[in-house]
Amino acid sequence: MTTSTPQLIDRFGRQVTYVRMSITDRCDFRCVYCMDEEMTFMPREKLLTLEEIAYLLKAFCELGVEKVRITGGEPLVRRNVDWLFQQIGELKNSTALKELNVTTNGSQLVKYSDAMVAAGVDRVNISLDSLKADRFRELTRTGDLSTVLAGIEAAKNAGFKRVKLNAVIMKGRNDDEVIDLARFAIDNDMDISYIEEMPLGQVSHQRGESFYSSDEALEELHKEFDLQTSLAKTGGPSRYYQVANSSNKIGFISPHSHNFCDTCNRVRVTTEGRLLLCLGQEHSVDLRAIIRNYPGDMERLKQAIIDSMAIKPEGHEFDIKAQPVLFRHMSVTGG
Ligand code: SAM
């Protein structure tokens, strides 16, 4: 029986309505804050298949999940990803699902934007940390700025409900571009969120040295723009400011300086099907084992998800000075 009654409520009364699903740990970029230059990726047999991902998301949406974000690694480098978008898009007709969103580095958006919109993808978040071609290459190690800018243009024209930019700001690396990135977003009628660097996985720099807080970014932006506190919520952890005389918002995702745990409504699923109850803690449930050991037993899968609510922690405890806090990279966890 298909049911969409909310059933995912944790010990602290928080209802889980949002799943972020990482569909691959592979990426065509090697962003310095995200990955090491030499990465060992997961053996393919460990990854959930696209069919398993669609099945798992059906379970979540029948349990009351309203919003799904597909991420990675780079989700658009996974073969046949357009098939997956169609499967998830169809869940809007039969489950609680209302919104299907994708986070991408933009490199494949020229190819996929139209198919994504047709499948029912509502919003895309595109990572953009610099508008300078050399620096973009340095920060992403392999990325090409002009390809990503063409992808942003394609996304704008494809008819998504919203296209948003995400920028990770690092001290001494791109903190001088906070204003330029905001101006680019506004000129293109897009929102932008600034993300504080999180200590996930070992990378080649000391995280503490590159840390640049949202408050510093906000101070810079206030000098240039008339920003009003906005009550807008997109269901995610961003705090928003409205740019006066425009329809655009500037958001901040600040796990360090502004703890957002008390309103946490989300869980993550890793590429290998591990349900993570908190980005900053190790509490998890192996959903792949259930899917593979009990094929087609949807009730058992749903019960495991319901039971997992008992171990969702109250909050994460990031400490930027600890190296690293968690050994998993964001690419596995799903940003
Ligand atoms: N490849 C896609 C992209 O580039 O957006 C999706 C995956 S990526 C892991 C998702 C987001 O996480 C990106 O905006 C990226 O900048 C951010 N991210 C990755 N590692 C991070 C870290 N250590 N701290 C903060 N944000 C991080």
Side-chain angles (χ1 to χ4, degrees):
M1 190 187 74
T2 297
T3 150
S4 357
T5 322
Q7 294 177 61
L8 301 181
I9 298 178
D10 76 359
R11 291 172 295 155
F12 307 97
R14 296 171 300 190
Q15 189 190 333
V16 169
T17 54
Y18 182 3
V19 173
R20 297 171 80 107
M21 172 90 229
S22 174
I23 64 164
T24 177
D25 60 334
R26 289 160 174 78
C27 188
D28 48 346
F29 291 3
R30 295 283 181 279
C31 298
V32 291
Y33 48 77
C34 185
M35 292 191 184
D36 225 349
E37 199 150 13
E38 298 300 323
M39 291 289 291
T40 311
F41 293 110
M42 204 96 55
R44 282 189 199 278
E45 66 277 9
K46 288 201 168 179
L47 304 185
L48 290 185
T49 64
L50 294 183
E51 288 79 5
E52 288 170 336
I53 294 169
Y55 178 69
L56 181 54
L57 290 173
K58 182 167 189 264
F60 274 108
C61 295
E62 289 187 358
L63 289 169
V65 163
E66 296 174 357
K67 181 166 158 180
V68 166
R69 177 172 295 282
I70 298 298
T71 178
E74 175 46 44
L76 302 187
V77 299
R78 179 121 190 208
R79 203 178 308 149
N80 295 332
V81 68
D82 39 351
W83 176 86
L84 179 66
F85 292 140
Q86 284 163 17
Q87 300 300 305
I88 308 171
E90 282 171 18
L91 293 176
K92 288 186 195 166
N93 301 322
S94 57
T95 68
L97 185 67
K98 294 191 183 117
E99 214 178 297
L100 170 57
N101 300 336
V102 174
T103 302
T104 172
N105 64 23
S107 69
Q108 312 295 317
L109 278 173
V110 168
K111 177 175 169 194
Y112 278 123
S113 286
D114 289 340
M116 288 164 78
V117 170
V121 175
D122 295 286
R123 295 164 181 252
V124 277
N125 286 359
I126 307 170
S127 298
L128 183 69
D129 302 328
S130 176
L131 290 164
K132 300 179 179 179
D134 291 357
R135 183 182 283 178
F136 187 87
R137 170 56 65 101
E138 240 170 67
L139 289 174
T140 59
R141 293 199 184 102
T142 56
D144 173 51
L145 178 64
S146 61
T147 307
V148 170
L149 294 180
I152 292 174
E153 196 57 31
K156 263 174 58 184
N157 296 331
F160 291 106
K161 292 198 181 118
R162 205 75 190 146
V163 179
K164 194 185 88 169
L165 300 178
N166 279 336
V168 175
I169 304 295
M170 300 169 74
K171 189 159 275 169
R173 305 290 290 257
N174 63 345
D175 56 330
D176 57 343
E177 285 192 74
V178 168
I179 304 281
D180 289 347
L181 286 163
R183 199 163 296 292
F184 175 83
I186 293 165
D187 289 348
N188 283 281
D189 194 24
M190 294 182 288
D191 297 338
I192 181 167
S193 281
Y194 296 92
I195 308 178
E196 286 178 354
E197 186 182 359
M198 289 176 245
L200 296 172
Q202 192 78 51
V203 290
S204 53
H205 62 271
Q206 296 292 318
R207 302 262 194 198
E209 284 165 19
S210 55
F211 183 68
Y212 183 84
S213 73
S214 291
D215 289 343
E216 289 170 275
L218 183 58
E219 204 179 310
E220 276 305 299
L221 290 159
H222 265 309
K223 290 181 195 161
E224 198 70 19
F225 302 101
D226 184 1
L227 299 178
Q228 289 137 16
T229 315
S230 160
L231 295 176
K233 272 271 158 213
T234 57
S238 276
R239 289 176 296 133
Y240 282 104
Y241 291 79
Q242 186 71 44
V243 183
N245 305 320
S246 95
S247 60
N248 303 115
K249 293 192 291 298
I250 296 184
F252 298 91
I253 302 176
S254 340
H256 303 285
S257 41
H258 297 273
N259 196 303
F260 46 64
C261 302
D262 53 340
T263 56
C264 180
N265 60 348
R266 56 202 163 274
V267 292
R268 290 176 154 79
V269 183
T270 68
T271 14
E272 81 269 50
R274 200 148 66 93
L275 171 62
L276 291 175
L277 283 310
C278 172
L279 178 61
Q281 304 270 7
E282 289 294 351
H283 303 70
S284 71
V285 177
D286 182 1
L287 296 179
R288 186 188 61 196
I290 299 169
I291 294 174
R292 293 196 180 165
N293 292 339
Y294 304 96
D297 191 344
M298 185 55 117
E299 287 314 311
R300 186 182 290 262
L301 176 60
K302 282 185 182 170
Q303 195 55 51
I305 297 172
I306 293 169
D307 293 346
S308 73
M309 291 296 107
I311 57 164
K312 185 167 166 62
E314 188 165 13
H316 64 59
E317 284 144 22
F318 284 141
D319 176 1
I320 195 75
K321 296 194 185 74
Q323 278 286 332
V325 170
L326 287 178
F327 289 96
R328 40 182 164 78
H329 286 93
M330 191 70 140
S331 50
V332 173
T333 307

